[in-house]
Amino acid sequence: MNVAYVYPWDVVGDPSAPERLAALGVEAVALAAGYHSTRAATPHHPSHRVLDVPHSAFYLPVRPEAWGRLVPASPTWTAPDAYLRARDALKAAGLRVQAWTVLTHNSLLGAAHSEVVVRNAFGDPYPHALCPAHADVVEYCERMVREILTVGAPDGLILEACGPMGFGHQSMHEKTAGADWSSVHGDLLTLCFCTTCADRYPPGTRDRVRAAIDDPATASMAEALGPVTDEVQAVRVELSAALRRRLIATAREVAPTVPITLHANPDPWAASSFAALPEGEPGADVLVGNCWGEPSSDSARLTQLGDLRTPGQRVGAYVLALPPRPADPAALADLLRTYAKAGAAEFHLYHAGLASPRRLAALAEALRLSR
C-alpha cells in the first residue's frame, strides 16, 4: 500500500483535492490529526498559497473531558474539525485515510509546561520536545491516540515522534551551525537530564556528557560515555519502547483491527520524529524508515528495519518528493526501485500538498514506472 501525506488544510476548501490525490496512484492518504507548527505552501488550493501555522494543533474537535493536564490547542487557520471534513472527502474518493499522529513534538505545550520538556546536560530546555519520561506526557500521548481512534475512526494509525525528540530541530531562525558540533555532539546534546531522566543514568553521566560536548575531538558516543555507554543507551531505548508499548496497547484496546505504522529508526541513539527502534516492535504492522538523505544510507536503514521485522510485518520507505529531489519521473522511479530492493514494501510519499503540480505529475509517473 502506497501512502501520500497531506495536511487537513490541503483538502478542506479544495473540492478537487481528493481526486487529485487519488490520481497519484496511491491507495491511502496519511492525514495529519495532530501536528506541530509550520509554514506551508499550498500550491493547489483555490483560496491561498501560503499558510502560517503558528503552533501545534489537534485537528479533531478538542473535547475538554477527554484530556488531562496537557490539552492540545485547536487551529484557528482551518476548521476545528478539519480532520473529519478532510477524511470524509478523501474516503468518498475511494481512498483509505490513516491518522498521521505527531506525539512528543509540541512547542506550544512545551512552552506552557517547561517542567516536562527535554533538558540537556547543561539544563537547557528544548520547548519543542516533550519528554516521555514524565507521566503527564505519556498520558497526553495516550489520550491523543484514544481520541483519534474514537472520534476520528481512521483506517490506520501512524505514530510519529513516538519517543523523545532531541537537539536537532528547525525552529525560529536556527543559529547553531557555527558551533561546529558534529553529529556525535548532537547526540550528546540530545540526552535528556530533566528531573525524571537524570536519576536514571549511572552516577557521573552528566559530567561526562558536559565534558564531551565541549571537547571538539569527541568522535563517538562510546568515547564520550566510556564505561557507562551501555547503561545510558539502555535508558534511552527503554524511554521510546515504554511509550510505544503503552500506545500500541491503547490502540489495540480501542480499535483492535486498525493497522499501526511506526516511524522508526534502528539507531539506538535516535531521538527525533523517527524514534529509536533497535530491537523491533512486534505490535506494529508497518515499520517506516526515513529516506530523505543519501540513498545508500537510507537503503541501509531500511535493510536494518527489515532485519528487525516479524513475520507479516512490512517495511515502508518515507520518500521525499520535494527539493532537493528532482521533479524527474525517471530519477524518482530509480529512487523508489532502490528502496524496494532494500526491503521497502510500500512507499510513504512526502508531501502531496506541498509539491507543485509538476512534482505531483512526476511522482505519479514514477510510481507507475517503478511497479
Side-chain angles (χ1 to χ4, degrees), residues 154-223:
D155 297 309
L157 179 67
I158 299 174
L159 299 180
E160 180 171 309
C162 189
M165 297 289 291
F167 169 70
H169 181 58
Q170 294 178 351
S171 67
M172 304 179 193
H173 291 271
E174 191 73 18
K175 301 291 183 181
T176 57
D180 290 334
W181 287 319
S182 69
S183 61
V184 174
H185 292 110
D187 287 342
L188 291 165
L189 283 163
T190 285
L191 293 178
C192 183
F193 288 85
C194 70
T195 54
T196 304
C197 284
D199 291 339
R200 299 185 180 193
Y201 302 127
T205 298
R206 186 196 300 267
D207 291 338
R208 286 181 178 274
V209 171
R210 285 184 171 187
I213 289 170
D214 288 342
D215 182 355
T218 300
S220 70
M221 293 296 278
E223 179 183 314

Side-chain angles (χ1 to χ4, degrees), residues 52-295:
D52 277 307
V53 176
H55 59 74
S56 304
F58 190 57
Y59 292 97
L60 287 83
V62 177
R63 305 186 303 162
E65 70 275 11
W67 300 92
R69 192 166 78 90
L70 303 183
V71 183
S74 293
T76 57
W77 48 91
T78 190
D81 62 347
Y83 177 91
L84 300 179
R85 297 189 190 189
R87 178 204 64 186
D88 292 346
L90 294 166
K91 290 179 74 68
L95 292 162
R96 295 175 63 81
V97 177
Q98 301 187 11
W100 179 15
T101 309
V102 176
L103 296 160
T104 62
H105 186 178
N106 193 312
S107 298
L108 185 70
L109 289 179
H113 301 276
S114 60
E115 72 281 2
V116 300
V117 303
V118 171
R119 290 178 179 269
N120 66 27
F122 293 88
D124 308 318
Y126 298 158
H128 67 278
L130 304 179
C131 180
H134 293 276
D136 284 338
V137 173
V138 174
E139 181 187 9
Y140 162 76
C141 294
E142 182 177 9
R143 287 174 182 269
M144 176 176 281
V145 166
R146 190 176 293 276
E147 276 295 275
I148 287 171
L149 292 173
T150 301
V151 180
D155 297 309
L157 179 67
I158 299 174
L159 299 180
E160 180 171 309
C162 189
M165 297 289 291
F167 169 70
H169 181 58
Q170 294 178 351
S171 67
M172 304 179 193
H173 291 271
E174 191 73 18
K175 301 291 183 181
T176 57
D180 290 334
W181 287 319
S182 69
S183 61
V184 174
H185 292 110
D187 287 342
L188 291 165
L189 283 163
T190 285
L191 293 178
C192 183
F193 288 85
C194 70
T195 54
T196 304
C197 284
D199 291 339
R200 299 185 180 193
Y201 302 127
T205 298
R206 186 196 300 267
D207 291 338
R208 286 181 178 274
V209 171
R210 285 184 171 187
I213 289 170
D214 288 342
D215 182 355
T218 300
S220 70
M221 293 296 278
E223 179 183 314
L225 297 172
V228 303
T229 301
D230 290 344
E231 291 179 74
V232 174
Q233 185 179 101
V235 169
R236 297 294 297 174
V237 169
E238 178 56 22
L239 199 57
S240 294
L243 177 62
R244 184 173 69 244
R245 289 192 297 263
R246 181 157 172 178
L247 298 185
I248 289 175
T250 297
R252 296 304 185 202
E253 172 196 335
V254 177
T257 63
V258 169
I260 298 173
T261 295
L262 290 175
H263 284 189
N265 189 333
D267 180 358
W269 297 110
S272 69
S273 52
F274 288 73
L277 190 82
E279 298 174 354
E281 176 48 70
D285 298 279
V286 186
L287 305 178
V288 173
N290 186 282
C291 293
W292 289 19
E294 202 279 320

